């Protein structure tokens, strides 16, 4: 894995016996020795887990009219939020395909901070930089900031123990300080639990990580890898770019139209998406729950009871909370909630029920 990039916490992960693997061009922890995905998943649902997601991209768009420029490129409407709020949005191609999904932090009319996915950071920055008008700069800050996700019922207590603010509304953020060091604190996450994403400076990330574990020992805090991050987000039905959203899977198909400012005059892919919404998508993203012991996995074929092909699994896993197989699948528009379909699991048709996610609870607000 010599060509993979490393987070500022790489040494901490090695010391914890983490199983490391490539993810989006970075060498990241999948799970930690002595625990595993199931235990790490459960600590987030029951106490508090700490994730290193510093591999996520970062970029800054600055200058007169920066927010208006970003709003004319990305799908969601920054006019819906105020400075100090963050927003989930999409970077689309002209044909409506999704180049990336990302979070936009609105600091002011002149400054927007973006957090794309790791593998797509350079592409998003390049597209924005090529389109930026005079006076607006787009800067890659991928290694300017670390990102620590503190997620779970005890997350507020842990973040507060470090003297950081915890009372913000969902998807709001503040510029705070920890021991004189700047930290952006956002009430967000990718697990379905109450949580925070902390963005310290890159070189300050190890000290903040250590402080979280020192304060979190009494709260049952534990490190959590990307394996449990995937099971947690799948239980919530949250899409993963490259699987449930992609250049081939539009926001309309993925039921992400809520992240599109349909009334905006401009954004990349607008005409194609409006046309698809008006015509009706040929396929839609649904949830699947296994009625037996089978576990759906990406790219498995889905057929109707008649044997007719109706789609493909995009994400699938064993749900530690429900103790059954769950998944997301792109299915023909004729499929409905409550239908029984068959998933080809290693050559055997396995019955599953079509449902609307989330599979567990609901997102915190």
């Amino acid at each position: 894995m010599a060509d993979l990039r490393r987070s500022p916490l790489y040494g901490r992960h090695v010391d914890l016996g983490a199983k490391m693997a490539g993810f989006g061009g970075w060498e990241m922890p999948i799970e930690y020795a002595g625990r595993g995905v199931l235990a790490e998943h459960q600590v987030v649902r029951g106490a508090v887990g700490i994730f290193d997601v510093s591999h996520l991209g970062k970029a800054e768009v600055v200058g007169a009219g920066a927010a208006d420029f970003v709003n004319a490129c990305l799908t969601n409407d920054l006019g819906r939020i105020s400075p100090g709020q963050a927003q989930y949005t999409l970077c689309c191609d002209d044909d409506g395909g999704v180049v990336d999904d990302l979070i936009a932090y609105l600091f002011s009319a002149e400054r927007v901070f973006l957090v794309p996915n790791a593998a797509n950071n350079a592409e998003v920055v390049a597209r924005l930089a090529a389109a930026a008008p005079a006076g607006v700069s787009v800067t890659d800050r991928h290694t300017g900031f670390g990102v620590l996700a503190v997620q779970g019922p005890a997350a507020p207590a842990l973040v507060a123990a470090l003297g950081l603010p915890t009372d913000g509304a969902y998807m709001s953020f503040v510029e705070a300080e920890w021991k004189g060091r700047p930290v952006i604190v956002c009430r967000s996450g990718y697990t379905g639990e109450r949580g925070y994403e902390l963005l310290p400076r890159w070189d300050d990330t190890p000290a903040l990580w250590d402080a979280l574990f020192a304060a979190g020992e009494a709260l049952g805090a534990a490190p959590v890898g990307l394996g449990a991050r995937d099971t947690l987000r799948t239980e919530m039905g949250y899409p993963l770019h490259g699987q449930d959203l992609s250049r081939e899977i539009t926001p309309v198909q993925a039921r992400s139209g809520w992240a599109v400012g349909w009334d905006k005059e401009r954004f990349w892919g607008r005409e194609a998406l409006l046309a698809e919404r008006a015509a009706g998508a040929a396929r839609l993203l649904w949830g699947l729950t296994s009625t037996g012991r089978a576990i759906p996995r990406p790219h498995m074929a889905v057929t109707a009871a008649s044997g007719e092909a109706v789609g493909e699994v995009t994400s699938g896993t064993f749900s530690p909370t429900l103790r059954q197989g769950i998944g997301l699948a792109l299915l023909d528009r004729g499929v409905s909630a409550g239908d029984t379909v068959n998933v080809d699991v290693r050559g055997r048709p396995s019955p599953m029920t079509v449902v609307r996610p989330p599979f567990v609870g609901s997102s915190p607000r």
Side-chain angles (χ1 to χ4, degrees):
M1 293 189 282
D3 294 334
L4 296 177
R5 303 172 79 177
R6 291 175 173 174
S7 95
L9 295 171
Y10 175 79
R12 299 293 197 279
H13 302 317
V14 172
D15 290 344
L16 288 167
K19 176 183 176 182
M20 307 294 288
F23 190 90
W26 292 70
E27 189 174 359
M28 298 299 294
I30 303 303
E31 60 182 66
Y32 293 88
R35 301 190 67 86
V37 171
L38 180 61
E40 291 171 18
H41 180 109
Q42 291 171 332
V43 81
V44 173
R45 291 280 184 246
V48 58
I50 304 171
F51 303 73
D52 174 20
V53 285
S54 300
H55 64 305
L56 291 173
K58 303 103 191 169
E60 279 190 298
V61 184
V62 178
D68 286 341
F69 162 64
V70 171
N71 208 31
C73 297
L74 306 183
T75 62
N76 215 334
D77 188 355
L78 286 175
R80 295 172 176 169
I81 65 172
S82 304
Q85 292 181 294
Q87 184 182 70
Y88 177 82
T89 188
L90 306 164
C91 175
C92 287
D93 235 332
D94 288 343
D95 64 0
V98 182
V99 175
D100 197 24
D101 62 340
L102 59 159
I103 303 295
Y105 289 65
L106 180 62
F107 281 84
S108 69
E110 291 77 38
R111 182 188 177 199
V112 181
F113 186 83
L114 303 174
V115 181
N117 284 292
N120 302 322
N121 186 74
E123 177 73 9
V124 170
V125 169
R127 285 174 178 251
L128 288 169
V136 173
S137 64
V138 182
T139 306
D140 187 336
R141 301 295 303 277
H142 207 152
T143 56
F145 299 84
V147 186
L148 301 179
V150 183
Q151 302 283 300
L158 177 51
V159 173
L162 268 63
L164 294 171
T166 61
D167 57 355
Y170 183 65
M171 293 300 283
S172 68
F173 69 91
V174 295
E175 294 180 274
E177 283 193 356
W178 173 73
K179 293 189 175 181
R181 309 173 192 186
V183 182
I184 300 170
V185 180
C186 187
R187 253 271 283 132
S188 60
Y190 195 49
T191 65
E193 296 297 331
R194 173 122 183 172
Y196 305 84
E197 291 186 317
L198 312 179
L199 284 77
R201 292 179 301 196
W202 188 262
D203 292 340
D204 292 339
T205 306
L208 185 58
W209 170 272
D210 293 344
L212 284 167
F213 282 104
E217 185 175 358
L219 298 170
V224 183
L226 298 186
R229 190 168 187 254
D230 191 60
T231 58
L232 289 157
R233 69 93 189 171
T234 304
E235 285 189 344
M236 297 307 301
Y238 294 158
L240 175 66
H241 187 269
Q243 292 183 197
D244 316 298
L245 286 165
S246 70
R247 300 285 183 100
E248 292 74 41
I249 305 173
T250 70
V252 178
Q253 296 166 25
R255 300 185 189 273
S256 297
W258 59 270
V260 178
W262 295 106
D263 295 331
K264 293 198 304 181
E265 292 184 0
R266 294 171 54 202
F267 60 87
W268 294 335
R270 179 177 181 271
E271 288 73 20
L273 292 175
L274 283 170
E276 184 178 35
R277 184 177 70 154
R283 54 185 187 167
L284 290 169
L285 196 68
W286 286 97
L288 299 176
T289 56
S290 179
T291 58
R293 300 180 62 182
I295 300 173
R297 300 294 185 188
H299 307 299
M300 287 181 173
V302 183
T303 56
S306 63
E308 176 188 4
V310 293
E312 183 179 86
V313 176
T314 55
S315 287
T317 191
F318 173 77
S319 165
T321 302
L322 300 177
R323 310 298 296 182
Q324 68 181 141
I326 61 172
L328 300 174
L330 269 178
L331 303 177
D332 292 351
R333 62 186 300 176
V335 177
S336 301
D339 288 354
T340 296
V341 295
N342 290 310
V343 175
D344 185 348
V345 180
R346 295 184 298 276
R348 300 182 64 178
S350 301
M352 301 196 185
T353 304
V354 177
V355 300
R356 283 186 178 272
F359 301 95
V360 175
S362 60
S363 297
R365 290 292 186 266

